[in-house]
Amino acid sequence: MKKTFSVLLCLVLLCALLLPAAHAENALLVECALQTHTGTYVRFTEAVVGVADDFSAEGVAHDDWFRVTIDPAMIEIIERERLEFVYLDGDISDESQYRSTSDFGMVLHGLLLADGTRADVTIDARDFEPYSGKYLTTNAKNRLYSETWNSEILCYEYDVAVGSVWTLEEANDEYVDDYLYAHSEILFEGATPDVQGNTYTFNTPGDYVCYVRCCGGFNVQKAVIHVHTKSDMKRMLFLPTLVEGLELAMGVGFWLGPWWLPISFPLGALHALANLFLVLIA
């Protein structure tokens, strides 16, 4: 019995030693791994020089109980100063479970190393980071402004008035990947704003689709900006501004107690009217 226990203990200790070593070996081959709403990006170190003819990739989700083979048509391999790998999410039904969670990893088979050998690399969910870098932003305190999250196209949609000014901001240096930062660009589809340095002014009504793109088809940020005339924007905000005030009143009333509703509703109405006045004179 003691002998059996000793053997089992040795196996456990061996696994405990090998798993961190395997993870460390993978880490030496991966320089950067990012995930966004629409894709996955991996950049390798100089130790990885290419991929074999039978290169393949798997998606791993739900603590490795669900795996799926990734369609090669959804994979883009870019060779610049480093080998870069881009997986663009598609609409394949048998991957729905894989894509239904943000906690997923990947296994890449058939990487070619500088010494001529092949390697398989596992990238755990915890190894991926969110993108931080260049992004467009505007003053959300602007009265003629509205934003909503579109779950179908996985991006924010903004409604603003003609003359809205946006600025190209930069994330804290601590979180910026220098390589992607140097290769990122701002692209527009549809209408194009007037650009002066880091300032983007939307002077023409229309729909602007903005991308921050780092490589190939990999968009680390996408935003749809609907630009309206001031009068149209004020009409759009009229009812939501009133409703917001009444919802605030109801929330405060129930928080304090139902007996406060007779007081909170008139105050909420006044708050809504004050905000509506600021919208109308904007």
Side-chain angles (χ1 to χ4, degrees):
M1 183 70 181
K2 288 183 178 179
K3 189 174 183 180
T4 303
F5 179 76
S6 299
V7 172
L8 290 174
L9 182 60
C10 289
L11 288 173
V12 171
L13 291 174
L14 183 62
C15 290
L17 291 172
L18 289 178
L19 285 176
H23 188 271
E25 184 178 348
N26 286 338
L28 292 175
L29 299 178
V30 177
E31 188 173 84
C32 178
L34 301 175
Q35 283 179 346
T36 70
H37 296 297
T38 57
T40 300
Y41 170 85
V42 180
R43 184 174 70 255
F44 302 98
T45 64
E46 293 178 341
V48 181
V49 296
V51 298
D53 293 337
D54 59 348
F55 169 82
S56 63
E58 292 179 288
V60 181
H62 305 289
D63 294 328
D64 203 14
W65 72 259
F66 184 81
R67 284 194 175 213
V68 61
T69 300
I70 295 175
D71 183 352
M74 297 161 61
I75 297 174
E76 182 178 3
I77 296 175
I78 302 164
E79 297 186 26
R80 290 191 291 203
E81 297 100 303
R82 301 283 193 278
L83 186 71
E84 299 170 71
F85 166 95
V86 175
Y87 163 51
L88 301 176
D89 287 358
D91 296 316
I92 300 175
S93 59
D94 64 356
E95 296 186 23
S96 59
Q97 283 184 284
Y98 171 57
R99 255 191 287 274
S100 65
T101 175
S102 59
D103 184 22
F104 64 84
M106 304 190 79
V107 182
L108 307 176
H109 303 280
L111 296 176
L112 295 179
L113 304 185
D115 61 6
T117 61
R118 289 165 50 109
D120 294 344
V121 173
T122 298
I123 307 173
D124 294 328
R126 64 179 180 271
D127 294 329
F128 286 100
E129 300 177 1
Y131 168 79
S132 295
K134 298 177 182 179
Y135 59 96
L136 279 180
T137 185
T138 188
N139 185 2
K141 294 181 179 180
N142 181 0
R143 292 291 174 179
L144 302 182
Y145 171 90
S146 175
E147 73 174 59
T148 55
W149 171 254
N150 189 322
S151 58
E152 293 184 1
I153 58 177
L154 299 175
C155 74
Y156 280 101
E157 292 193 69
Y158 302 89
D159 290 284
V160 297
V162 166
S164 179
V165 178
W166 294 57
T167 306
L168 182 62
E169 301 288 349
E170 300 176 5
N172 189 310
D173 290 341
E174 180 182 353
Y175 302 104
V176 173
D177 180 85
D178 292 337
Y179 183 95
L180 284 184
Y181 185 85
H183 291 87
S184 62
E185 55 183 341
I186 309 295
L187 304 173
F188 284 91
E189 289 182 359
T192 304
D194 295 329
V195 183
Q196 289 187 344
N198 288 341
T199 301
Y200 294 70
T201 306
F202 296 83
N203 288 320
T204 306
D207 293 335
Y208 300 69
V209 183
C210 171
Y211 298 97
V212 180
R213 182 169 296 172
C214 287
C215 59
F218 185 65
N219 302 313
V220 292
Q221 185 192 49
K222 176 183 176 181
V224 180
I225 303 171
H226 306 287
V227 180
H228 311 271
T229 63
K230 283 192 173 184
S231 57
D232 286 343
M233 194 68 198
K234 291 175 182 180
R235 279 194 292 269
M236 287 176 57
L237 293 176
F238 186 89
L239 185 59
T241 302
L242 290 177
V243 171
E244 180 184 358
L246 295 177
E247 288 177 343
L248 177 63
M250 185 177 294
V252 171
F254 278 110
W255 180 64
L256 294 175
W259 52 87
W260 284 91
L261 286 175
I263 299 176
S264 63
F265 265 109
L267 292 177
L270 287 174
H271 174 76
L273 290 172
N275 283 337
L276 186 59
F277 174 74
L278 293 175
V279 167
L280 294 175
I281 66 172

